[in-house]
Amino acid sequence: MCSNQEDKKILKSELQLPDIQKRLVTLNQDLTNTDFDSVNSEFIGLIIKNIQVQKGIFISLAFPKFCPYNHKKILEPILLYYIRYRTKEHFETKFTNFIFKVIAEACLRYFSLKDVSSFLDKVTKEVIESDYPDFKFKESYQANDDWKENLRRPVKTPRNYRKKQRLVLVLLAAEMQLDYVDLLKKDIEVEHIYPQAGENDDDRIYTIGNLTLLEKKLNGKASNHDFCDKKIIIKNQRLL
């Protein structure tokens, strides 16, 4: 678990809290007089202290922006919930449950090619009204398995790797790590386990089962090695 000033600086840099707060003030004028310096310090302190909150924030930072602003939109309802309800009884438990509920619903919508941005706007509005915001799973999403098939298909466009496939890998990595801020320090990239180089026309090379996460410096070292050499590097250094 993180504990030092360097980790706090990393969190401040990654979260971009002032940008999120400017956006939230435009949505909720009640926040105009909020002491955001104190809020930011307390919020980062909670992330450092509570490993489950840390895990949720790490996953949230893996999401695309879903908006033209200079921050991750999924953090808007999360930070607003913290600002409005941090003094409530049993807050940490409720906050943790809220974070993972937002992540689960956002993932399901994102993988199902639904509008995530409008969903996050709805959640933010619901948070203004209550510390038990109403955004239930819809049965039509639960019954729709198309998103699973989409993730199984080979995808050769690198941009797509950095989105849906990368998010799935981050979700898996989050279940296997304990120091999430340490992961934020690393420049993580998606790497093919069986290399793309050579005369490899097998579409399975481009499926999610052949992908893992590596630090950028190791990814460059491992890239396009033959499989026998490459798997040793990946086995010893992979993040999942």
Side-chain angles (χ1 to χ4, degrees), residues 15-57:
L15 291 169
Q16 300 175 352
L17 295 177
D19 292 328
I20 303 173
Q21 289 155 356
K22 288 176 185 177
R23 168 71 176 161
L24 291 178
V25 168
T26 66
L27 299 173
N28 184 3
Q29 293 300 313
D30 292 345
L31 301 179
T32 303
N33 297 321
T34 301
D35 182 356
F36 285 120
D37 288 339
S38 295
V39 167
N40 293 350
S41 178
E42 293 169 8
F43 184 55
I44 289 174
L46 177 61
I47 296 171
I48 289 173
K49 181 182 75 168
N50 188 313
I51 191 65
Q52 289 302 311
V53 172
Q54 194 179 127
K55 177 181 177 180
I57 295 300

Side-chain angles (χ1 to χ4, degrees), residues 107-160:
C107 281
L108 189 55
R109 288 172 180 267
Y110 183 45
F111 296 144
S112 301
L113 305 179
K114 306 297 181 181
D115 185 355
V116 182
S117 182
S118 62
F119 160 71
L120 293 174
D121 286 337
K122 176 187 176 184
V123 177
T124 300
K125 290 177 182 177
E126 292 287 340
V127 169
I128 293 174
E129 301 299 326
S130 171
D131 58 337
Y132 288 98
D134 181 19
F135 53 101
K136 297 177 182 178
F137 287 96
K138 294 185 178 179
E139 292 183 6
S140 59
Y141 291 163
Q142 291 176 319
N144 182 0
D145 287 335
D146 289 347
W147 64 274
K148 297 178 184 177
E149 290 302 319
N150 288 336
L151 286 175
R152 291 190 184 106
R153 290 176 186 145
V155 181
K156 299 183 180 181
T157 307
R159 182 172 57 87
N160 289 334

Side-chain angles (χ1 to χ4, degrees), residues 11 14-15 56-63 72 74-75 184:
L11 283 170
E14 293 290 334
L15 291 169
I57 295 300
F58 168 72
I59 295 171
S60 299
L61 287 169
F63 272 82
K72 306 285 187 177
I74 194 170
L75 292 173
L184 291 176

Side-chain angles (χ1 to χ4, degrees), residues 2 4-16 44 48 57 61 179-186:
C2 57
N4 56 41
Q5 292 299 317
E6 180 187 354
D7 294 328
K8 293 179 181 180
K9 289 179 181 179
I10 290 168
L11 283 170
K12 288 180 181 179
S13 174
E14 293 290 334
L15 291 169
Q16 300 175 352
I44 289 174
I48 289 173
I57 295 300
L61 287 169
D179 191 340
Y180 302 102
V181 176
D182 184 59
L183 286 179
L184 291 176
K185 299 176 186 177
K186 300 172 181 176

